[in-house]
Amino acid sequence: MELYLEAFLIKRRMMNKVHVIVNPLSARGKTEQRWHSIKEVIRHHFKEYKYVFTEKPRQATEIAKELLEDGFDLIIGVGGDGTLNEITNGFFCHDTHKAINEDASIGIIPSGTGSDFIRFLKIPRDLKKSVELIKNSPSSKIDVGKITFLNEKPSQSTRYFMNVADFGLGAEVIQNLSAVPSAERNAFFYYKGLLSTVKSYKSKKVKIIIDDSQEIVGEFLIGAIANGRMFGGGMVIAPQASPFDGYFDLVLIEDMTRLHVVANSIRLYRGTIEKNPRVSILRAKNIKVYSQDDVRIECDGELGSGLPAEFSIIEKCLNFRI
């Protein structure tokens, strides 16, 4: 039986129609500089493949969608979590919200600054090892989060995310940092933005409905809907979250002073944020959030629209080579 399975996997990999989507600006522009080396390693493992460079934000989504419709069944991204997010959004039909090809797989060659989800999944940052992993590993079905922006028109109302979506302070940080050129971003880029933004940010009053059975009303600094565990360049916002369990971890952080935020940041990096009495963590499959305030949302480091919004987990819907 094991020999049969191994033979099946080998045959399947030989039949993969492979396309690589490269974000040349990832890793502060270093991806484009080292593309020749990356290309040669990919060629060693995949004799036949095609590739394309993205030229503008969210273009990877449209490229992935077109490739899947053209019959490509292994899409490999070269970049960070943002690139991974864009490609993931291309895997789904935005009218039916179903996978374009349920048998297609995604892989990632890490080449980004933050890459929190990639790091959480322990995907090797070493180039050769990451390509070998994509070539030789069977696909694992992972959960994906879906956001429905309730005030947007249907064509712009849905986004998918693999790692973490959050409303409140985190989204404001992303908005404030969006104008900073990628070449100037480093490992502490998000943390510096957090300290700057929290000076003037005020917690927002929201109403949260969990699985249509529990209602929470309160003022929160951050509300994070986590499928993965880390965001913001290594901050462990949801220490027990898993993209394999069919649930979100909803992390609610009550109002804190700037000094309190700074004092507790070490807990974020150590993965012990739940020990703070102002932090609550709940598990849910569906979360609806409403507010009278203007509250922005970000997912996987990409700024989205704002509340009201609905967050739904789609269980085991994406094949990931890990």
PDB file of all heavy atoms in Angstrom, residues 146-159:
ATOM      1  N   LYS A 146     -12.421  33.759   5.341  1.00  0.00           N
ATOM      2  CA  LYS A 146     -13.106  34.597   4.348  1.00  0.00           C
ATOM      3  C   LYS A 146     -13.704  35.808   5.047  1.00  0.00           C
ATOM      4  O   LYS A 146     -14.376  35.681   6.075  1.00  0.00           O
ATOM      5  CB  LYS A 146     -14.219  33.817   3.650  1.00  0.00           C
ATOM      6  CG  LYS A 146     -14.932  34.626   2.563  1.00  0.00           C
ATOM      7  CD  LYS A 146     -16.033  33.823   1.876  1.00  0.00           C
ATOM      8  CE  LYS A 146     -17.291  33.771   2.712  1.00  0.00           C
ATOM      9  NZ  LYS A 146     -18.439  33.217   1.968  1.00  0.00           N
ATOM     10  N   ILE A 147     -13.450  36.995   4.511  1.00  0.00           N
ATOM     11  CA  ILE A 147     -14.036  38.227   5.033  1.00  0.00           C
ATOM     12  C   ILE A 147     -15.083  38.726   4.052  1.00  0.00           C
ATOM     13  O   ILE A 147     -14.812  38.849   2.852  1.00  0.00           O
ATOM     14  CB  ILE A 147     -12.994  39.341   5.219  1.00  0.00           C
ATOM     15  CG1 ILE A 147     -11.777  38.842   5.982  1.00  0.00           C
ATOM     16  CG2 ILE A 147     -13.613  40.543   5.934  1.00  0.00           C
ATOM     17  CD1 ILE A 147     -10.648  39.865   6.052  1.00  0.00           C
ATOM     18  N   THR A 148     -16.257  39.009   4.558  1.00  0.00           N
ATOM     19  CA  THR A 148     -17.294  39.650   3.752  1.00  0.00           C
ATOM     20  C   THR A 148     -17.515  41.049   4.317  1.00  0.00           C
ATOM     21  O   THR A 148     -17.937  41.208   5.465  1.00  0.00           O
ATOM     22  CB  THR A 148     -18.616  38.863   3.790  1.00  0.00           C
ATOM     23  OG1 THR A 148     -18.374  37.522   3.352  1.00  0.00           O
ATOM     24  CG2 THR A 148     -19.661  39.511   2.883  1.00  0.00           C
ATOM     25  N   PHE A 149     -17.177  42.057   3.517  1.00  0.00           N
ATOM     26  CA  PHE A 149     -17.381  43.447   3.930  1.00  0.00           C
ATOM     27  C   PHE A 149     -18.827  43.807   3.637  1.00  0.00           C
ATOM     28  O   PHE A 149     -19.235  43.908   2.473  1.00  0.00           O
ATOM     29  CB  PHE A 149     -16.420  44.365   3.182  1.00  0.00           C
ATOM     30  CG  PHE A 149     -14.969  44.056   3.451  1.00  0.00           C
ATOM     31  CD1 PHE A 149     -14.189  43.422   2.494  1.00  0.00           C
ATOM     32  CD2 PHE A 149     -14.389  44.386   4.664  1.00  0.00           C
ATOM     33  CE1 PHE A 149     -12.857  43.137   2.736  1.00  0.00           C
ATOM     34  CE2 PHE A 149     -13.048  44.104   4.924  1.00  0.00           C
ATOM     35  CZ  PHE A 149     -12.282  43.473   3.952  1.00  0.00           C
ATOM     36  N   LEU A 150     -19.615  43.997   4.678  1.00  0.00           N
ATOM     37  CA  LEU A 150     -21.072  44.056   4.545  1.00  0.00           C
ATOM     38  C   LEU A 150     -21.583  45.335   3.898  1.00  0.00           C
ATOM     39  O   LEU A 150     -22.732  45.383   3.448  1.00  0.00           O
ATOM     40  CB  LEU A 150     -21.709  43.866   5.921  1.00  0.00           C
ATOM     41  CG  LEU A 150     -21.356  42.531   6.606  1.00  0.00           C
ATOM     42  CD1 LEU A 150     -21.981  42.465   7.998  1.00  0.00           C
ATOM     43  CD2 LEU A 150     -21.821  41.349   5.772  1.00  0.00           C
ATOM     44  N   ASN A 151     -20.764  46.374   3.827  1.00  0.00           N
ATOM     45  CA  ASN A 151     -21.203  47.631   3.205  1.00  0.00           C
ATOM     46  C   ASN A 151     -20.662  47.826   1.792  1.00  0.00           C
ATOM     47  O   ASN A 151     -20.899  48.863   1.171  1.00  0.00           O
ATOM     48  CB  ASN A 151     -20.781  48.834   4.065  1.00  0.00           C
ATOM     49  CG  ASN A 151     -21.724  49.049   5.240  1.00  0.00           C
ATOM     50  OD1 ASN A 151     -22.802  48.463   5.296  1.00  0.00           O
ATOM     51  ND2 ASN A 151     -21.320  49.891   6.178  1.00  0.00           N
ATOM     52  N   GLU A 152     -19.923  46.844   1.269  1.00  0.00           N
ATOM     53  CA  GLU A 152     -19.335  46.972  -0.059  1.00  0.00           C
ATOM     54  C   GLU A 152     -20.227  46.315  -1.108  1.00  0.00           C
ATOM     55  O   GLU A 152     -21.004  45.408  -0.808  1.00  0.00           O
ATOM     56  CB  GLU A 152     -17.944  46.330  -0.093  1.00  0.00           C
ATOM     57  CG  GLU A 152     -16.931  46.990   0.822  1.00  0.00           C
ATOM     58  CD  GLU A 152     -16.542  48.377   0.351  1.00  0.00           C
ATOM     59  OE1 GLU A 152     -16.738  48.679  -0.841  1.00  0.00           O
ATOM     60  OE2 GLU A 152     -16.042  49.160   1.187  1.00  0.00           O
ATOM     61  N   LYS A 153     -20.087  46.746  -2.359  1.00  0.00           N
ATOM     62  CA  LYS A 153     -20.834  46.098  -3.431  1.00  0.00           C
ATOM     63  C   LYS A 153     -20.277  44.696  -3.650  1.00  0.00           C
ATOM     64  O   LYS A 153     -19.100  44.427  -3.369  1.00  0.00           O
ATOM     65  CB  LYS A 153     -20.767  46.922  -4.711  1.00  0.00           C
ATOM     66  CG  LYS A 153     -19.392  47.287  -5.191  1.00  0.00           C
ATOM     67  CD  LYS A 153     -19.480  48.252  -6.375  1.00  0.00           C
ATOM     68  CE  LYS A 153     -18.106  48.673  -6.862  1.00  0.00           C
ATOM     69  NZ  LYS A 153     -18.183  49.645  -7.968  1.00  0.00           N
ATOM     70  N   PRO A 154     -21.105  43.771  -4.158  1.00  0.00           N
ATOM     71  CA  PRO A 154     -20.727  42.355  -4.239  1.00  0.00           C
ATOM     72  C   PRO A 154     -19.368  42.096  -4.876  1.00  0.00           C
ATOM     73  O   PRO A 154     -18.623  41.224  -4.416  1.00  0.00           O
ATOM     74  CB  PRO A 154     -21.861  41.744  -5.064  1.00  0.00           C
ATOM     75  CG  PRO A 154     -23.035  42.610  -4.774  1.00  0.00           C
ATOM     76  CD  PRO A 154     -22.490  43.996  -4.622  1.00  0.00           C
ATOM     77  N   SER A 155     -19.005  42.828  -5.921  1.00  0.00           N
ATOM     78  CA  SER A 155     -17.754  42.569  -6.630  1.00  0.00           C
ATOM     79  C   SER A 155     -16.511  42.891  -5.797  1.00  0.00           C
ATOM     80  O   SER A 155     -15.412  42.438  -6.109  1.00  0.00           O
ATOM     81  CB  SER A 155     -17.709  43.375  -7.942  1.00  0.00           C
ATOM     82  OG  SER A 155     -17.753  44.767  -7.669  1.00  0.00           O
ATOM     83  N   GLN A 156     -16.686  43.681  -4.736  1.00  0.00           N
ATOM     84  CA  GLN A 156     -15.555  44.074  -3.896  1.00  0.00           C
ATOM     85  C   GLN A 156     -15.743  43.663  -2.435  1.00  0.00           C
ATOM     86  O   GLN A 156     -15.026  44.143  -1.559  1.00  0.00           O
ATOM     87  CB  GLN A 156     -15.362  45.594  -3.973  1.00  0.00           C
ATOM     88  CG  GLN A 156     -15.079  46.110  -5.367  1.00  0.00           C
ATOM     89  CD  GLN A 156     -14.985  47.626  -5.426  1.00  0.00           C
ATOM     90  OE1 GLN A 156     -15.283  48.318  -4.451  1.00  0.00           O
ATOM     91  NE2 GLN A 156     -14.592  48.150  -6.575  1.00  0.00           N
ATOM     92  N   SER A 157     -16.687  42.777  -2.190  1.00  0.00           N
ATOM     93  CA  SER A 157     -17.086  42.523  -0.807  1.00  0.00           C
ATOM     94  C   SER A 157     -16.339  41.379  -0.136  1.00  0.00           C
ATOM     95  O   SER A 157     -16.483  41.183   1.071  1.00  0.00           O
ATOM     96  CB  SER A 157     -18.588  42.222  -0.747  1.00  0.00           C
ATOM     97  OG  SER A 157     -18.879  41.000  -1.412  1.00  0.00           O
ATOM     98  N   THR A 158     -15.530  40.613  -0.870  1.00  0.00           N
ATOM     99  CA  THR A 158     -14.936  39.411  -0.293  1.00  0.00           C
ATOM    100  C   THR A 158     -13.418  39.418  -0.410  1.00  0.00           C
ATOM    101  O   THR A 158     -12.862  39.744  -1.454  1.00  0.00           O
ATOM    102  CB  THR A 158     -15.481  38.146  -0.989  1.00  0.00           C
ATOM    103  OG1 THR A 158     -16.907  38.140  -0.911  1.00  0.00           O
ATOM    104  CG2 THR A 158     -14.939  36.892  -0.321  1.00  0.00           C
ATOM    105  N   ARG A 159     -12.754  39.045   0.691  1.00  0.00           N
ATOM    106  CA  ARG A 159     -11.318  38.803   0.696  1.00  0.00           C
ATOM    107  C   ARG A 159     -11.055  37.525   1.476  1.00  0.00           C
ATOM    108  O   ARG A 159     -11.795  37.179   2.402  1.00  0.00           O
ATOM    109  CB  ARG A 159     -10.551  39.947   1.366  1.00  0.00           C
ATOM    110  CG  ARG A 159     -10.514  41.233   0.594  1.00  0.00           C
ATOM    111  CD  ARG A 159      -9.553  41.193  -0.575  1.00  0.00           C
ATOM    112  NE  ARG A 159      -8.157  41.032  -0.163  1.00  0.00           N
ATOM    113  CZ  ARG A 159      -7.162  40.804  -1.009  1.00  0.00           C
ATOM    114  NH1 ARG A 159      -7.410  40.683  -2.298  1.00  0.00           N
ATOM    115  NH2 ARG A 159      -5.919  40.685  -0.577  1.00  0.00           N
TER     116      ARG A 159
END
